[in-house]
Amino acid sequence: MQNNVLDYFENAMAKAPDKLAFSNGEEGMTFREVYDESCAAASYLAEHDIYRKPVVIFMQKHPKEVTAFFGVIRGGCYYVPIDEEMPAGRIQLILDNVKAPLIICDEQTEAIAKTFSYDGEIVTYDEIRTTKVNEKRLEEIHEQTIDTDPIYIVFTSGSTGVPKGVCACHRSVIDYIEQLSDVLEFNEDTVFGNQTPLYFDACLKEVYPTLKFGATTYLIPRSLFMMPIKLVEYLNEYKINTVCWVVSALTMISAFGTFKTVTPQYLKSVTFGSEVFPIKQFNIWRKTLPDAKFTNLYGPTEGTGMCCFYKVDRDFALDEVIPIGRPFKNTEIILLNEKNERAADGEPGEICIRGTSVTLGYYNNPEKTAEAYTQNPLNTAYPEIIYRTGDIGKKNERGELVFVSRKDYQIKHMGHRIELGEIEVNVNMQEGIKMTGCIYDEQKGKIVLFYVGDMSEKELTVLLKGKLPRYMLPNKMICLSEMPLTANGKIDRVTLKKMYQEGAKTV
């Protein structure tokens, strides 16, 4: 029975030790190199008596960064990834929370790391990757590892402005990777194109299956996600056949006419998540790649990534939403109404996750953990923790789970309860609209719509009057040249609110 995520290495090393494991296109590492250097990094930790503690990884997106992750796990510790694109204040809050004894940097980030208010040791990856391997100590650590030991902490945004560190363990990650790999049919021929920064849990979808199957992952440079033609050319150059991207990364390609110039030649599996995929844009992808498999995934960081899937098997009208389907095996989704009872069929309820994939909680934050990781109200007989996502979902007439909205995207306007996501869906249907983001000004009671497209605000208003009830019509529309995105590629609604408050001077 597997209780350590690094047991996956055995398969890759036995099958193809000299095969390319991780690459950014310019530099790559084989499985043997990843294995040897992770063992060296782990031996450095052992040599410095760092064990069962958090270790901060502050490196640029590179195969060495992934190898550093594995080295920290092999050393019996858990990694905390941070990135130079994070605001300095956020990084400081993370460092204050985890109190790590060590930061592993690269040449580009070392100088920045030395500006932090930090009392621990700062070392570069290149300094530790040649450490003599202490095989005896690493074997002892491996034997002492149990599946509830943590392996990483990734930080999500907190509603109070203080980031929350989600702590995941071997058991939750193994369960997630096993179920995900089965659903998406990964194998040794899979060539992943990684989109997300490595300090997000979303990169798990590529990082660990690469070990499990002896596959290959290309860590696509983030700059390419602003250059759609070059991005598709990159996919073709490295024969990438599998992508698991956020919706906005896919729509950036389809909405700006990229496929008129170049199309992905090798893509066989297109998986998406994190946001609702506008059907108009989805149809462009499906028409361009008629033989590819399309899968919608849903899940929060606190559930170790994704927990639900829907393999697209039918056509959708422009005003429909692609379902999130059903949970992975070994996971139950419970919809709870406002009375903490199971929601009736067709009734909206909060999506709650039960199962092995639920993470350990928020690091050094018992109060927030107690709010979100709660006793299952349907079970009063024994302790059973569920994670309350804050997302609203419901079952459709086919019995498929459908994402409705975030609790905090649900507003009360003119006496009506409104889902801002429903407004976005209707706007995205319109010809000439590429991307949309909706916010609500609570003080003035105004629905504010930002959009990227060729349509004037007046033209869009006329069209929406025939699509939405009067109380759902945006009170203000702002056309942007480009939509602000978070580091993970989602629509950045925090920035949209700031732009609105500043008078949308960037229009």
Side-chain angles (χ1 to χ4, degrees):
M1 182 179 174
Q2 186 170 304
N3 68 343
N4 188 317
V5 293
L6 297 185
D7 290 342
Y8 285 138
F9 250 127
E10 295 178 11
N11 181 57
M13 289 295 288
K15 275 188 171 183
D18 297 317
K19 182 181 178 182
L20 183 66
F22 299 97
S23 174
N24 61 7
E26 295 181 358
E27 297 179 273
M29 296 178 69
T30 65
F31 286 102
R32 189 190 306 277
E33 289 170 333
V34 173
Y35 180 85
D36 290 346
E37 293 192 13
S38 67
C39 287
S43 298
Y44 180 92
L45 298 182
E47 192 177 281
H48 289 75
D49 199 29
I50 300 173
Y51 180 54
R52 290 185 174 169
K53 292 179 180 177
V55 174
V56 172
I57 308 291
F58 182 36
M59 299 173 66
Q60 295 194 321
K61 189 176 182 180
H62 191 279
K64 290 180 180 180
E65 183 178 10
V66 178
T67 305
F69 294 168
F70 299 148
V72 169
I73 298 171
R74 195 175 294 282
C77 295
Y78 37 107
Y79 62 90
V80 186
I82 61 175
D83 192 275
E84 59 188 331
E85 69 180 26
M86 289 180 174
R90 179 180 174 84
I91 291 177
Q92 192 61 56
L93 288 170
I94 291 172
L95 295 177
D96 293 344
N97 177 272
V98 300
K99 299 176 173 58
L102 180 69
I103 297 177
I104 300 175
C105 302
D106 55 31
E107 290 183 0
Q108 289 75 24
T109 59
E110 183 181 17
I112 302 172
K114 290 179 178 177
T115 66
F116 301 149
S117 176
Y118 174 71
D119 296 328
E121 182 186 2
I122 297 173
V123 65
T124 66
Y125 174 84
D126 284 338
E127 289 178 63
I128 67 174
R129 70 187 181 93
T130 56
T131 304
K132 184 179 179 181
V133 175
N134 186 338
E135 293 182 6
K136 181 181 178 182
R137 178 58 185 142
L138 296 191
E139 184 60 32
E140 289 173 351
I141 291 172
H142 192 91
E143 289 180 358
Q144 292 165 3
T145 298
I146 62 175
D147 65 0
T148 52
D149 287 339
I151 62 172
Y152 68 74
I153 305 170
V154 295
F155 279 80
T156 64
S157 299
S159 57
T160 60
V162 179
K164 297 178 293 187
V166 178
C167 189
C169 64
H170 289 273
R171 182 176 66 185
S172 64
V173 173
I174 290 168
D175 181 72
Y176 172 45
I177 297 307
E178 290 297 312
Q179 310 309 335
L180 180 78
S181 299
D182 182 55
V183 166
L184 296 181
E185 303 175 39
F186 299 149
N187 58 43
E188 66 272 16
D189 297 321
T190 299
V191 181
F192 293 102
N194 159 268
Q195 168 254 322
T196 185
L198 298 181
Y199 61 91
F200 285 103
D201 62 290
C203 72
L204 298 176
K205 295 192 293 295
E206 299 101 13
V207 167
Y208 291 99
T210 294
L211 295 190
K212 175 177 170 61
F213 294 101
T216 298
T217 288
Y218 283 89
L219 306 170
I220 303 174
R222 67 188 63 168
S223 61
L224 288 182
F225 286 91
M226 300 304 292
M227 298 179 282
I229 290 176
K230 288 187 176 181
L231 175 57
V232 176
E233 289 174 344
Y234 185 100
L235 298 180
N236 290 339
E237 180 179 359
Y238 297 107
K239 299 182 179 180
I240 290 167
N241 57 34
T242 301
V243 297
C244 307
W245 291 358
V246 297
V247 166
S248 53
L250 295 169
T251 56
M252 183 204 65
I253 293 174
S254 58
F256 291 92
T258 306
F259 294 145
K260 295 175 183 177
T261 302
V262 60
T263 58
Q265 298 299 310
Y266 301 93
L267 273 188
K268 300 298 181 186
S269 177
V270 179
T271 301
F272 50 94
S274 301
E275 294 176 296
V276 174
F277 205 151
I279 298 299
K280 184 178 66 180
Q281 300 301 330
F282 174 72
N283 285 342
I284 295 173
W285 272 91
R286 210 172 176 200
K287 181 180 179 181
T288 303
L289 301 175
D291 297 325
K293 296 178 180 178
F294 290 85
T295 308
N296 189 17
L297 295 181
Y298 162 85
T301 299
E302 290 85 349
T304 318
M306 301 299 182
C307 60
C308 291
F309 71 96
Y310 169 71
K311 294 184 177 182
V312 179
D313 59 359
R314 64 182 187 270
D315 295 329
F316 290 89
L318 291 178
D319 59 349
E320 287 188 284
V321 174
I322 299 173
I324 56 178
R326 57 191 176 93
F328 289 142
K329 291 179 182 177
N330 203 40
T331 298
E332 182 185 10
I333 296 298
I334 304 170
L335 297 180
L336 293 178
N337 62 22
E338 293 180 354
K339 296 179 181 179
N340 262 349
E341 299 169 341
R342 195 183 292 271
D345 286 347
E347 177 190 2
E350 182 177 6
I351 298 173
C352 301
I353 307 171
R354 184 177 81 90
T356 303
S357 62
V358 173
T359 51
L360 300 175
Y362 299 122
Y363 196 74
N364 274 338
N365 198 338
E367 290 184 6
K368 289 296 181 184
T369 298
E371 288 177 15
Y373 296 78
T374 68
Q375 171 66 25
N376 181 0
L378 306 181
N379 169 21
T380 58
Y382 57 86
E384 181 181 48
I385 296 298
I386 61 172
Y387 173 68
R388 308 188 70 124
T389 67
D391 290 335
I392 304 299
K394 66 178 182 179
K395 294 281 186 72
N396 64 17
E397 65 280 356
R398 295 169 179 257
E400 300 158 336
L401 189 61
V402 176
F403 174 83
V404 176
S405 75
R406 282 288 301 167
K407 267 187 174 181
D408 47 14
Y409 289 173
Q410 195 178 70
I411 63 169
K412 195 73 174 290
H413 179 67
M414 295 175 64
H416 298 272
R417 193 170 294 279
I418 296 170
E419 309 290 352
L420 292 177
E422 187 178 346
I423 299 174
E424 293 176 356
V425 167
N426 277 275
V427 177
N428 280 322
M429 289 168 51
Q430 309 308 316
E431 284 296 328
I433 297 296
K434 296 179 173 67
M435 299 183 83
T436 63
C438 215
I439 62 169
Y440 188 60
D441 181 347
E442 294 180 1
Q443 290 185 333
K444 296 182 179 178
K446 287 187 175 183
I447 298 171
V448 183
L449 174 74
F450 289 85
Y451 70 95
V452 177
D454 303 325
M455 193 176 296
S456 72
E457 295 163 30
K458 186 176 181 180
E459 290 171 327
L460 185 54
T461 300
V462 172
L463 278 172
L464 290 184
K465 282 182 178 178
K467 296 287 183 181
L468 294 170
R470 185 176 58 84
Y471 61 83
M472 287 181 69
L473 288 171
N475 304 103
K476 187 171 181 60
M477 298 184 190
I478 301 170
C479 183
L480 302 174
S481 58
E482 62 181 46
M483 187 67 65
L485 303 175
T486 66
N488 196 22
K490 298 180 185 180
I491 292 170
D492 190 344
R493 290 177 173 81
V494 173
T495 295
L496 290 180
K497 282 190 175 182
K498 287 180 181 177
M499 290 168 62
Y500 171 68
Q501 290 164 356
E502 293 170 0
K505 296 175 183 177
T506 57
V507 177

